[in-house]
Amino acid sequence: MATERDWRARVPDGMWVKCENPRCAQLLYSKELDRNLRVCSHCDHHFRLSARQRIAITLDPDSFVETDTELMTVNPLNMEGYEAKLKRHRARTSEMEAAVVGTGAILGHPVTIGVTNPFFTVGSMGSVVGEKLARCVERARDQRCPCILISGSGAGARMEEGILSLMQMAKTAAAIGRLRQAGQLCVTILTNPTMAGVYASWASLGDIIIAEPRAMIGFAGQRVVKGTKSDLGADAQSSEFQHEHGMIDRIVPRLEMRGFLESLIRMTYAAPLRKGASVEV
Amino acid sequence: MATERDWRARVPDGMWVKCENPRCAQLLYSKELDRNLRVCSHCDHHFRLSARQRIAITLDPDSFVETDTELMTVNPLNMEGYEAKLKRHRARTSEMEAAVVGTGAILGHPVTIGVTNPFFTVGSMGSVVGEKLARCVERARDQRCPCILISGSGAGARMEEGILSLMQMAKTAAAIGRLRQAGQLCVTILTNPTMAGVYASWASLGDIIIAEPRAMIGFAGQRVVKGTKSDLGADAQSSEFQHEHGMIDRIVPRLEMRGFLESLIRMTYAAPLRKGASVEV
Amino acid sequence: MKYSPSRWLPFEEGIRVIQEEMEDLLRRQSEQDVDLSAEITALQDRLEAEKRKIASELTPWRKVLVARHPNRPYTLDYIAHIFDDFVELHGDRRYGNDQSLVGGPAMLGDYSVMVIGHQKGRTTKERQERNFGSSNPEAYRKAQRLLEMAERLGMPVISLIDTPAAQCLFDAEARGISEAIAATQLLMGGLRVPIVVVVTGEGGSGGAIAIGVGDVVMMLEHAIYSVIPPEGFAAILYKNAAPEQVQQAAALLRLTAQDALELGVIDEIIPEPLGGAHHDGIGMAATLKQAIVRRLEPLLALPVDELVDQRYAKFRAMGKWEVRRG
Amino acid sequence: MKYSPSRWLPFEEGIRVIQEEMEDLLRRQSEQDVDLSAEITALQDRLEAEKRKIASELTPWRKVLVARHPNRPYTLDYIAHIFDDFVELHGDRRYGNDQSLVGGPAMLGDYSVMVIGHQKGRTTKERQERNFGSSNPEAYRKAQRLLEMAERLGMPVISLIDTPAAQCLFDAEARGISEAIAATQLLMGGLRVPIVVVVTGEGGSGGAIAIGVGDVVMMLEHAIYSVIPPEGFAAILYKNAAPEQVQQAAALLRLTAQDALELGVIDEIIPEPLGGAHHDGIGMAATLKQAIVRRLEPLLALPVDELVDQRYAKFRAMGKWEVRRG
Ligand SMILES: [Zn+2]
Ligand SMILES: [Zn+2]
């Protein structure tokens, strides 16, 4: 199974792995780290997860069915080096693109799910990522079920696709607008990092917005901010800051995330005036 | 004509009147002050106007038809002194209550209009005021025309009617909600003073909110603020402060108000996808 | 429910004395291994009688004190005891995360609802964090967000009111407390899901009615609902009002649940445990739950247009006036 | 339109020289009472030829400079010359009165529309007040309010884009610039009145697309529309990018109107006066008005469900990809 293969692929060869958090740097037993959903048991640092790892810890086992795999990225601006970059990321991640989308279930309740992969071009949103996410949202509307979108995107829009990547913001936002009109829940989960064009479109449009602790979340990329001589502090781009300022409903540690989602999905399906019956997936 | 009578009644007997603004105190020729819509030509101080004076300077001449005059205030809490107070204000203003409502026209376009009178219990909102305003809003909905509400209310809710006066906030707010759904414009004009329960209900719910310059506008009555040891500055309760903080669309001097409303009403009727044709009043 | 050490209102002195005697008896019984059950039963009867006496003497002003009692159950206490699951949601998506009003989806038996409610703090620290239940504009804008979500998702709304008043300081003014209160009422007036409102403690003027527009509005027996705090009203009526004048103002305002029912502002009074909800929070929550369920279920069966029209008609009818003939 | 004294771009040196000669000739003609009309006509031909030459040599980077030209007409200039009446409305009803985006109802011939648009400042003071056209969250929330009003009142929307980028400083982050941009797009995506969008100057990334969702999207001939400013892109590509590298980045980004049309992002390019809109603001406004009216009128005839579905389909189709077979 693809999920399993990928999950293994991301575990280092050795039995021990050093905590990514430089202030911790603890040596962790890799199997235990996996059992802990890749959260450091010493410092609570949340390691980045690939899209498939996310799906594995989010959905009911074996419920995920991937969709929209036929969409292939092209080089619409003939940007030099873009194809080579894609090739590199494909080889490194065994993925074709930065988004994995599909259908699945939580507690047996149908959901659609779309996840951006921070290991693939730092999860940047080009045409294919935008299209996959929009289809994921539309599928929830068609099947009258909740939609779960999980962001891990440090770059926001994908520069190599220029203005076309900017349009993906409008596309995904409009799709969520239609989902709202249809009365179906959209939950967005923001993981480290969630920035710029992704945060300024679908990631900010969940009915409920959840973040993992200490994720970098914000509008301005730090490089851009530097170029424009901003006085933006690093803290302003964190889950905690965004929560404090009313932008994020809850900060939920990874180990509690599945339980939290279970509550939300259960309650969504138990709404007595819920629009439309759910359709079997 | 009632309007004319009242207008005259408010002009002092003498030919000269002293500007209300203590920092000005200029002697003004009363006929000229009237011609200037009771705005001091020396310091631009806007004298308070009665409800009928407002209507006279707002609507097309002779277009106003008063409605809902059959509603009579009672003393639902048996509050001591309330009846005497009403009697006093009735004698002083020749009005039965603090709100005057009806239908009329601007540039020939039908509108409904509701005005609170700062000379009658400082324009406070009891059951009859709330009911009259709600009917004024409903009439705009029924007749598919814009609704103009003009506030002059220093007290907000009318304490003597206790909890019943609080309910008028919900009543008027709900009526404006229905007007919005029907796609008809609601303009509120805030004049000196607009406070508390009036500002926290219909006065804040115009699609477009206009204020006269230097009107006292705010939530907390100064006496209440004092009692609760607030650090609220006087400036926070002004048209200018509320405008600067995004609460008010425009501050429009009285002499420009009619022209401003003409533009708004003309454009409202010229909206190509306007809901419903207007009905002759 | 965990409360800070018991605090007693002046007129509860009789209860305090009996409860101390009771604690003494229970200690002696357990330490000295004697049977004091007869004495204990007698004392329980006295306690009951004392509570009954106090209940019969609850003047409007005393009700104000009961409604504000620091041991009175608060919204999160009711949520904990009424709902099977609750996910608190935060933030207005605009400016801040105001803690004076809480809300989120919750399970009420087999179905889910959206709960919103003012929240006072129990400890000193929490009181400050929650601003003593006085809400800033962000609190009402959070409520609006949750109300709109409830409408989209088809969840009925339970709104619990317990606030001295909305925040009225400079910052609240600068961020539009009036607009926030006004817009929340407008939204609730037309919301296309059932809304059950309960005034559980203090129904303090604009801050209360902001989340007070519902298909059914109930009050706990000793809750108050007022256009102005009695202290504020006394300040308007009298210069430097004396305590008796404040008490008199409380009576003049007709702010009790019984007054509100008589004036047509509420649909029902939910009885409190003898002496007030602060004597038995869990019992109070059970009674409240029953009332909410009993009132909510018929609303769920109504066609939504009818529901919204009824709610509108309900508030349109509020107020008292006479019609002058010809 | 009143502009501050002419400023010249480096590649406009030829125009500057000819225009100075022209002023000389005109002065001499009026002072010395001689007929220089032949010379003047010749010079006018030279000016025209020079403008044509410059227009033919407008590289992407030069277009960036033209799009940012301080004499380029801004939104309020277009409003003044396109609409017969305009009532500017202010404030987000939440927090502030951001002047970097203006809006309000206006008359377009016989019918009214709602106009929104970024607004840069002309004078130094105005530039600061309008934050150089970089919008804070309040600007987009004002836009949302006006969009919702337009929908209720049945006014079509004209949205004019001219912003370097949305504000990204600490305060903007604290008040939710991302949410504001996201929610505005969502709202425009489903708004039940026609929307015509024109990028008139700088279409700067998120700040631009925030008000860029319409039934028709057009660009002025030398406007730009980009996911990132060329300087920012160069900074990503190269360390301490040299000027030529910034120019190269501008070309790589495909940010011109011609690129946007080819990539399917816009529907039409509106021609500018020779050399750019800053040479003839009034002529530009006239052309723009024609284009808006021509595009708007068929939209007014569409049933609203169809209109909204078409707009959705339009943005859903944006982007380029291939479909892998079996
Ligand atoms: Zn660690
Ligand atoms: Zn004066």
Side-chain angles (χ1 to χ4, degrees), chain B residues 138-211:
Chain B
E138 283 179 342
R139 195 166 285 116
R141 180 173 180 257
D142 293 344
Q143 302 189 348
R144 292 176 178 154
C145 71
C147 177
I148 298 171
L149 300 177
I150 307 181
S151 66
S153 174
R158 187 170 294 173
M159 301 304 160
E160 291 88 349
E161 297 192 22
I163 192 70
L164 291 177
S165 67
L166 192 71
M167 294 302 121
Q168 306 311 311
M169 293 171 66
K171 176 193 281 193
T172 53
I176 294 177
R178 293 215 153 190
L179 186 67
R180 279 192 192 174
Q181 280 172 357
Q184 300 305 328
L185 179 76
C186 180
V187 179
T188 57
I189 303 177
L190 317 189
T191 77
N192 185 35
T194 297
M195 304 297 293
V198 164
Y199 191 40
S201 63
W202 56 274
S204 279
L205 293 173
D207 296 297
I208 296 165
I209 304 179
I210 315 167

Side-chain angles (χ1 to χ4, degrees), chain D residues 9-287:
Chain D
L9 298 173
F11 55 86
E12 292 182 318
E13 180 63 15
I15 299 180
R16 188 186 65 76
V17 169
I18 299 170
Q19 284 206 345
E20 281 178 10
E21 280 182 49
M22 181 80 82
E23 278 158 32
D24 253 20
L25 277 181
L26 291 169
R27 199 178 318 115
R28 274 170 50 204
Q29 182 172 259
S30 78
E31 284 173 4
Q32 305 169 6
D33 198 22
V34 290
D35 181 7
L36 300 172
S37 55
E39 287 86 340
I40 290 172
T41 306
L43 209 55
Q44 275 169 340
D45 289 349
R46 265 181 61 203
L47 183 62
E48 175 96 1
E50 180 64 21
K51 283 188 180 174
R52 249 179 239 294
K53 178 169 166 288
I54 288 170
S56 72
E57 290 169 353
L58 279 180
T59 59
W61 174 248
R62 286 185 174 183
K63 290 211 174 209
V64 171
L65 297 179
V66 171
R68 294 176 182 170
H69 197 290
N71 286 359
R72 195 169 173 85
Y74 294 152
T75 293
L76 285 175
D77 301 315
Y78 289 124
I79 288 176
H81 287 82
I82 290 175
F83 302 104
D84 293 326
D85 198 359
F86 171 60
V87 174
E88 189 181 346
L89 301 179
H90 291 272
D92 66 345
R93 303 271 163 90
R94 300 282 181 273
Y95 182 87
N97 176 10
D98 192 299
Q99 314 265 16
S100 68
L101 188 149
V102 298
M107 289 299 292
L108 180 64
D110 289 338
Y111 52 84
S112 57
V113 298
M114 185 68 76
V115 192
I116 57 173
H118 302 101
Q119 178 64 36
K120 297 175 176 179
R122 194 70 69 190
T123 64
T124 306
K125 182 166 168 287
E126 201 199 350
R127 266 160 224 249
Q128 279 168 351
E129 282 168 3
R130 300 193 183 277
N131 199 28
F132 304 87
S134 279
S135 294
N136 272 296
E138 295 74 52
Y140 295 111
R141 292 186 184 128
K142 169 168 67 179
Q144 288 172 31
R145 183 167 79 80
L146 299 183
L147 289 162
E148 285 170 349
M149 195 191 305
E151 186 179 57
R152 285 199 299 273
L153 300 180
M155 292 178 184
V157 172
I158 314 295
S159 175
L160 304 180
I161 294 175
D162 187 17
T163 181
Q167 183 59 276
C168 61
L169 302 185
F170 184 89
D171 281 358
E173 198 78 72
R175 300 198 301 271
I177 185 66
S178 296
E179 190 277 344
I181 291 172
T184 313
Q185 294 172 82
L186 183 150
L187 177 63
M188 290 182 91
L191 205 76
R192 294 175 68 77
V193 286
I195 304 174
V196 172
V197 175
V198 186
V199 184
T200 61
E202 283 187 276
S205 62
I209 189 66
I211 59 166
V213 186
D215 303 295
V216 170
V217 183
M218 300 185 280
M219 284 179 76
L220 299 196
E221 187 182 352
H222 306 314
I224 59 170
Y225 203 176
S226 182
V227 70
I228 185 171
E231 292 88 342
F233 190 49
I236 290 173
L237 293 179
Y238 322 100
K239 275 189 188 166
N240 303 315
E244 315 81 61
Q245 290 176 313
V246 172
Q247 294 176 24
Q248 200 184 326
L252 289 174
L253 277 171
R254 308 278 312 273
L255 46 61
T256 70
Q258 296 69 34
D259 293 322
L261 186 68
E262 197 181 304
L263 291 165
V265 166
I266 63 168
D267 301 287
E268 180 178 339
I269 296 171
I270 302 171
E272 298 196 17
L274 252 188
H278 57 295
H279 290 296
D280 178 12
I282 291 171
M284 184 70 255
T287 314

